[in-house]
Amino acid sequence: MLRSARPWSAFGPSAAASGRTASGLILTVLEAPRAFLLQGDPDDHRLAEILWRTIGIRRGLAMGEVQRSETDGSRLATMAPDAWLYLQPNPASPRIAALTDALADASIAALIEQTEARSWMSLAGAHVERALAGLTSRPLTPARFPVGAGYAIALGPVHCLAERPGMTLFRIACPTSYAPYALAMLRRI
Amino acid sequence: MTGSRLPAGGLIDRTKPISFTFEGRALTGYAGDSVASALLANDVRIVGRSFKRHRPRGLLSLGMEEPNAILNVGTGAHAAPNRFATELPLAQGLAVSPTRGWPSSRFDLGGVLDLWPTPLAAGFYYKTFIGPRLPGVRDAWNRLWEPLLRSLAGQGRAPEGVDPDAYDHAHIEVDVAVVGAGLAGLAAAEAALGRGARVALFERDIRPGGRALGRDGDPRIDDAAPLAWAEGAWARIADNPRATAKLRTTAFGLYDGRQLAVYELPVDGPYAGRIWHVRAKEIVIAAGALERPMTFPGNDRPGVMLASAVEAAIRRYGVRPGGQAVVFLNHGDGAGLRQALNAADIEIVAEVGPDETVTGTQGFGRLQSVDIAPLGPDGLPRMDARRRVPADLLATSGGWSPALALHLIQGGRQAWSEADGCFIAAGGGQDGVRLAGAANARFSAAAALADGHGSTAGGAPGPKTTGGDAAPSGQGLPLAPIAAERLKRQAFIDFQHDVTVADIGLAAREGFHAIEHAKRYTTAGMGTDQGRTAQLATAAALAAATGREIGDIGLSGLRPPVTPVPFGALGGWRRGALFAPVRQTPMHRRHEALGAVFEDVGDWKRARYYAAPGEAMAPAVARECRAVRTAVGALDVSTLGKIAVAGPDAAAFLNRVYTNRMDTLAVGACRYGVMLKDDGMVFDDGVVARLGPNRFHVTTTSGGAAAVLNWLEDWRQTEWPDLKVWLASVTEQWAGVAVAGPNAARTLAALAPELDLSDTAFPHLTWRDATAAGLSARIFRVSFSGERGYEINVPWRHGEALWDAVLAAGAIPYGTEAMHVLRAEKGFIVVGHETDGTVTPVDLGLSWLISAKKGDFIGKRALARPALTAPGRKQLVGLEPEDASVVLDEGAQIIATATPRPPEPMLGHVASSYWSSALNRGFALALVKDGRARHGERLFAWSLGVAHAVRVRDPVFYDPKGARLHA
Amino acid sequence: MLLIPCPHCGVRPETEFVYGGDATVRRPDPKTASLDAWAAYIYERDNPKGPHTELWLHASGCHSWLVVERDTVTHAIGQVRQARDAAS
Amino acid sequence: MQDRFSAGRILREALGGNAGWRPWRRNPEPKPRYDVIIVGGGGHGLATAYYLAKLHGIANVAVIEKGWIGGGNAGRNTTIVRSNYLWDESAAIYEHGLKLWEGLSADLNINVMFSQRGVLNLAHTLHDVREGMRRVNANQLNGVDAEWLDAPGVKAFCPLIDISADARWPVLGATLQRRGGTARHDAVVWGYARAADRLGVDIIENAEVTAILRDGQGRFDGVETTRGTIKARTGALVAAGHSSILAAMAGFRLPIESHPLQALVSEPLKRLLDCVVMSNQVHVYVSQSDKGELVMGAGIDAYTSYTQRGALHVIEDQMAAACALFPMFSRVRVMRTWAGIVDVCPDASPIIGATPVPGLYINCGWGTGGFKATPSSGWTLAHTIATGAPHPLNAPFALKRFETGALIDEHGAAAVAH
């Protein structure tokens, strides 16, 4: 069946694209989590209730805040005062259906799937902060980009989303069509 | 080691000899040498020729102020033009040569220009080469004089080929950034670290210490010799985890938000470097001071050196720059110099006293003697009483000027200080930026240390100094009185550009009284040395010539960078494949395999056509078009911009955005729409599909997606915040394949057997969710070709699989060129072809898209403006060349005659033009004045000198009834 | 490079933003607006030498349109608000 | 004009030790009243004064400059001169200017170093090619010299350009105007000043306008300056970079935004680039000065500003682009960067003519292209001032056009094709 085709076509990142960067950082291409952009009124309590009921996560309001589910590794990153990104590593999680059903009519909030829109990769190594700083004027010091946070960030000309799961580890999502460029950019640091 | 190297001493490693070549001559120096000090050690006295008069020049300095020693380094792709010998650490195998002087710097034919320099005075070129014609030469300036001047001018040779070096960029944020690791800078950095700050310290030299490097006679610091203290302080700072300390790293710019731009060069290799973008809460500029040469007749003779350079030669490089020295200072700080000369066993044959001056020097290519004369009551030298002393070295100092460049280029001010005998910082600039040490006119070691330490207030007490402390006292202007005009032409102010006291006098005589005018007229201070030695002397000479005070004249403005920075370094890593991003669709690899030729659309690569082996473009495109018209074709439409619009007010929002109604759109249906800017001009177009009562899927042009989304967000957030609607880009969520042609339904049926494709179940301009090729798909029944068409959208990662399936089901791939032919045959417009920001929907014949029933929409009011309704506007028409075999040039202009006589009135232009295999003729879409009233008229399409007769007609060439949509 | 304190994302470099120009322009009612009122709305902009109220889109941040007070002589940046709040 | 410049004169004066050279212009005290006041001592203002005196016999004119003449954009541009504009109105006024350029050295008796080395506008996409062809054809039919070159033609004309097909933005062709080129900006400013001064025009420096005076009927009546009140019944605002400020003083608004535009020069190199190269897609424009420096323009900074100071990232973007197009420039170094303030109109075309204030005229909005227009803008504004009516050349560039919507949009195509 055609569905069994490789998850990524050759244009984009495949596991083969993983490896070490010029300065020895470990660059790993990740399978994309299911991603849903959630947009709604930050003060709307109905929305908060729906989120808690369907995905078991309380909405963060501060930019960079990433709220995590206790149970299934899913998370909700604050993208804008009225926008959050729900990231669910388990593509078959029943919570996805629960959430989409609850917001299907877009009367309270808009829920748009963007799973395909981003390519995910991780960059790890002792000097990862310094190396990435060559690509962005966005400060990356722990004070400005704490462990656990996630921000929109420009790497060179590419608008990305970056998470910092650990002090020496960044998870980066770039627009899918820019993935070949983004990988080349990261490989040389 | 031969030459002038002293038997011992200096900060060089005599166990590490380094060989290099100068003008092909093999020479040797030591690790720790600069190219300049090595040349001096090898008795190379002529290091280049001047720009205009080709005078032989030697090393004036051993530092960043050097105007003379400009070298070409390396050859071919490794070449680097105009590098300063004083700034180049000596490296093994380095091949350097002067940038001027032919055949050599010693014997330069250009030297004849110096035989009678008077006609070549400042600005001479403005006053000649004026006449439009010379006997026999038309346009003499362009054909004769300018080429001649250009071949004489210029300095270094540009490299050839691609730069083999790589450059990088870095960004850091610190509390305190310190520029300069001299005494003041080191004290400032240590003080800042002392109070827990994160510190960045940048030193342009390859060693810390600043003036301590080439100087003796300073006090002991914390009971250590100054240099030992400096090295200790540097080590402490470099070891501190809160500090970033870099050598051979120059702060070349200071920008808004206290952002320093810093260029780091490797201490060992000459070029490849990194630019640091440094953001700091506080910036300490401790860039030191620059010594000023005295201006007197013959002051450019090789052997005339700055006093600090003589000291540095002896103390830092262990080089003996001469045997018999004349000392000519305009201040009292000569102790260190004298000690150095004595240490090097250099005889001081004369010291020019305060009531004396130098009136001339002699010697070709090397100083042989110096004329010294007493000053008369009129303050001018008494030439009759002058004496000539033999000397091969003249150590001169006209005092010191604080290095204010960084302060000035960020908007700082400066003012003349009579007490200090120099211009000093006088406020302005950004908060949190301070000068310290000699840059702050604190010239003595003790004062500099205290200033540097104090300038970052708080923390531990600063370094203690003990012992004598020297500083220039009573320094005046570096301008020696000169008796005769003739001698003023030998007294150089700008060594590199051969600007003399006489030139400044001439500029003053001709009315160039503003310093900026005098500078531009004489080019004083406009050389690659950026006028470090010339700036003050220029102002001083202008003051003298116009009888004004130097403080009233001021100095000419400085512009970044403080020191030259390579293009490649500024460009950084964005070169080659990383220069600009490329966007690819998931089918890209398939297109390549099919022999696609790509076109750039925004950042996208789109397949333009698929050439079978040996197939040219025209037949390929014709073949692809025939496939769509007679069977079925497949086009990759993944690049289309896609925006999800959702929320209770989504329909109301889109109603205001498009010219036609979107609120009446039924769920399951789609509709074509155009967007206008509020000036009434077409901005973008696409298809709007209603997914639910509150949910829409909107497509934009491939190139316009980002701009459209930003623009829609602008309206949503700033104009209509009351509307409850949200926008999200889903461009890369959906890959798409357009399946078009009479067999399109059959092809789709093969992919989605369970989908009812009848016109009743799935009519034109509707969409359905379905499973296609085993993939969950959203299928839009739309047509941009005039044939029955479906756009199958699947999750991006499955684009390739979908493409394979569609082709396997019999569709022929076609590219954007065929797409254009097909849409043009139907008279469909493309934003960017038929629009250029000056075209309204009415001009395009899209009035039917403008809803009269609904209220306001963006651009509606503007459409009523007189010029947008007046007759004579250009309207969309079709053109048929009378000669059916002709395909008009796109961009051809429409005129009324076959034989234009400029200025020939133009009626419009060809926007799109193709060969149509369906019509078996060339055809075009054009915008023509009152075009709709001209149908049937015979006009001419004119391009690059050829006029083709064309017949104006309706823009719909093919299937005007639209029957084929349902074929 | 300007440093713009985004009310949501904190201080960010100018390169993350898209400039939107004069923020004081108000769209007149299209039904009643005179020709020159409309022309003024489309084309005329505050262009002061000194304090300026202007729009910036935080394109590689929270995608908010912001109303920024900036001095066109010193480039000093004052109050920054979300345009949505400023408008309503 | 006495005191003429020539090669012979240079030799004669040299024999006399250059003692005989006279000031290029007087340094007059402002008179209380003039026939015409021109605010702005840049190229455009000085040219206006010169043509008023020379062609219209109006010599009782004051040019008022807040600093030193030529200290604004006249001294901050990349000196490119061309006339290959798309629309008839633009082509007409720029071509008129180009013809004036061709005789300017002789007319002003100073070498303005107008170098007709040819201007290339590169096309990197099919869209660029369409627009380029459209412009070339329009130029030719307007009597403006223009040629279309394919990629090999570009390489032949300018061997330095990388035309390799695998470049990120391959060169598909270019428009060429051979009569275009560069000139020496200081010489233009000083030449117009010298010539105008010789005809009796007072050039008054260090006089900043602090107020614009209007009489009871609201007509222009003079200006207050830091050097006192100066009266006149006719005035013209010719102060690029401060047009909106002066307009506000006079009580009207302009459709203008003022942005920093950065430019730079490299260190001087041996002659290597013999034409002007411009590329919108890659965003480079470059020429080599007679002295050997590469002179380059960058993009305008995004925001409005009155500091003649731009941001570094704009320079960095431009240097990356320059190296993409001219790989061998990578090791050449930037010597000076600077910024001018450009007044940008919504349709990228200038405003030359009447203002809502009777007796007051304005010339502004040249955006990034003002230098090349110096002669024609002065010429047409002088005509407008002298006759009280616009010349056909500048009539289309009236301020009124923004009301009617009859814009002259030189941005070229607004969007990118499907």
Side-chain angles (χ1 to χ4, degrees), chain B residues 169-248:
Chain B
H169 281 188
H171 301 83
I172 56 168
E173 220 177 21
V174 296
D175 300 313
V176 182
V178 181
V179 176
L183 301 183
L186 290 164
E190 285 217 276
L193 286 168
R195 55 184 166 83
R198 287 169 306 141
V199 174
L201 174 60
F202 303 108
E203 169 52 51
R204 70 191 319 283
D205 203 329
I206 59 173
R207 294 166 169 277
R211 73 187 217 157
L213 283 166
R215 179 181 171 91
D216 203 355
D218 274 339
R220 294 177 65 77
I221 307 170
D222 291 343
D223 293 326
L227 186 55
W229 177 85
E231 283 165 347
W234 176 266
R236 288 191 297 275
I237 294 163
D239 291 346
N240 189 314
R242 278 183 285 107
T244 304
K246 296 267 170 200
L247 292 171
R248 208 180 171 209

Side-chain angles (χ1 to χ4, degrees), chain B residues 95-115:
Chain B
V96 300
S97 53
T99 53
R100 293 181 73 76
W102 184 87
S104 79
S105 57
R106 273 198 77 73
F107 309 102
D108 176 10
L109 294 183
V112 296
L113 290 169
D114 197 38
L115 296 180

Side-chain angles (χ1 to χ4, degrees), chain C residues 1-2 14-15 19 21-22 35-36 39 42-50 52 54 56 70 72-75, chain D residues 242 244-245 253-259 301-307 309 311-313 343 346 402-403 405 407:
Chain C
M1 185 183 311
L2 303 180
E14 167 195 339
T15 44
Y19 185 65
D22 183 5
L35 211 53
D36 47 354
I42 306 177
Y43 300 120
E44 287 180 9
R45 297 291 178 261
D46 277 356
N47 191 25
K49 188 173 186 176
H52 187 223
E54 59 197 23
W56 289 84
R70 183 181 59 91
T72 62
V73 176
T74 64
H75 289 178
Chain D
H242 277 72
S244 299
I245 311 306
R253 281 164 67 90
L254 289 171
I256 275 183
E257 287 187 329
S258 300
H259 293 262
D301 283 52
Y303 47 79
T304 62
S305 171
Y306 288 86
T307 64
R309 208 166 70 225
L312 179 62
H313 65 89
D343 290 342
F402 294 97
E403 230 173 86
L407 273 56

Side-chain angles (χ1 to χ4, degrees), chain A residues 31 116 133 137 144 177 181, chain B residues 171 173 279 578 583 732:
Chain A
E31 180 57 34
E116 307 292 316
S137 51
R144 301 286 233 102
S177 64
Y181 180 89
Chain B
H171 301 83
E173 220 177 21
R279 218 176 283 161
L578 291 178
R583 301 177 74 180
E732 288 142 303

Side-chain angles (χ1 to χ4, degrees), chain A residues 14-77:
Chain A
S14 65
S18 300
R20 290 210 173 247
T21 71
S23 68
L25 295 171
I26 298 161
L27 175 63
T28 313
V29 171
L30 310 171
E31 180 57 34
R34 290 288 295 277
F36 294 82
L37 185 67
L38 174 72
Q39 294 167 292
D41 178 350
D43 307 325
D44 190 332
H45 296 298
R46 293 171 303 170
L47 180 54
E49 288 152 21
I50 289 170
L51 289 177
W52 181 243
R53 175 160 48 80
T54 56
I55 60 174
I57 300 180
R58 298 198 190 285
R59 203 169 32 154
L61 292 178
M63 293 295 299
E65 207 176 325
V66 182
Q67 294 295 329
R68 283 172 180 68
S69 148
E70 313 303 327
T71 55
D72 68 354
S74 65
R75 53 205 194 273
L76 188 70

Side-chain angles (χ1 to χ4, degrees), chain B residues 775-853:
Chain B
L775 306 163
S776 54
R778 173 163 298 154
I779 304 171
F780 301 86
R781 183 170 172 189
V782 292
S783 173
F784 198 43
S785 63
E787 303 296 330
R788 174 187 284 263
Y790 302 91
E791 282 185 13
I792 310 173
N793 284 248
V794 298
W796 191 266
R797 74 183 63 190
H798 300 308
E800 196 177 63
L802 173 66
W803 179 260
D804 292 344
V806 170
L807 266 52
I812 304 299
Y814 68 102
T816 53
E817 188 67 17
M819 174 199 80
H820 276 298
V821 176
L822 298 165
R823 65 90 188 170
E825 287 173 343
K826 287 291 297 178
F828 295 150
I829 65 126
V830 163
V831 171
H833 276 250
E834 282 70 33
T835 72
D836 60 7
T838 69
V839 180
T840 71
V842 182
D843 300 336
L844 294 171
L846 297 177
S847 310
W848 58 274
L849 269 180
I850 302 173
S851 164
K853 284 184 224 62

Side-chain angles (χ1 to χ4, degrees), chain A residues 22-171:
Chain A
S23 68
L25 295 171
I26 298 161
L27 175 63
T28 313
V29 171
L30 310 171
E31 180 57 34
R34 290 288 295 277
F36 294 82
L37 185 67
L38 174 72
Q39 294 167 292
D41 178 350
D43 307 325
D44 190 332
H45 296 298
R46 293 171 303 170
L47 180 54
E49 288 152 21
I50 289 170
L51 289 177
W52 181 243
R53 175 160 48 80
T54 56
I55 60 174
I57 300 180
R58 298 198 190 285
R59 203 169 32 154
L61 292 178
M63 293 295 299
E65 207 176 325
V66 182
Q67 294 295 329
R68 283 172 180 68
S69 148
E70 313 303 327
T71 55
D72 68 354
S74 65
R75 53 205 194 273
L76 188 70
T78 314
M79 305 291 293
D82 62 349
W84 301 264
L85 191 65
Y86 177 53
L87 298 165
Q88 170 57 266
N90 172 10
S93 166
R95 297 184 152 183
I96 294 174
L99 179 62
T100 43
D101 294 349
L103 295 172
D105 69 353
S107 58
I108 295 175
L111 185 73
I112 306 297
E113 173 150 25
Q114 291 184 326
T115 305
E116 307 292 316
R118 295 179 189 82
S119 296
W120 290 78
M121 49 208 84
S122 71
L123 202 60
H127 62 288
V128 65
E129 184 182 308
R130 181 157 37 88
L132 266 181
L135 300 179
T136 182
S137 51
R138 163 75 165 86
L140 301 174
T141 54
R144 301 286 233 102
F145 200 134
V147 171
Y151 289 99
I153 174 177
L155 294 181
V158 186
H159 294 182
C160 300
L161 168 66
E163 293 180 286
R164 188 172 200 171
M167 193 56 135
T168 60
L169 171 66
F170 282 86
R171 207 185 286 128

Side-chain angles (χ1 to χ4, degrees), chain D residues 31 38 41 75 203 225 248:
Chain D
K31 292 187 284 183
I38 291 164
I203 297 164
T225 80

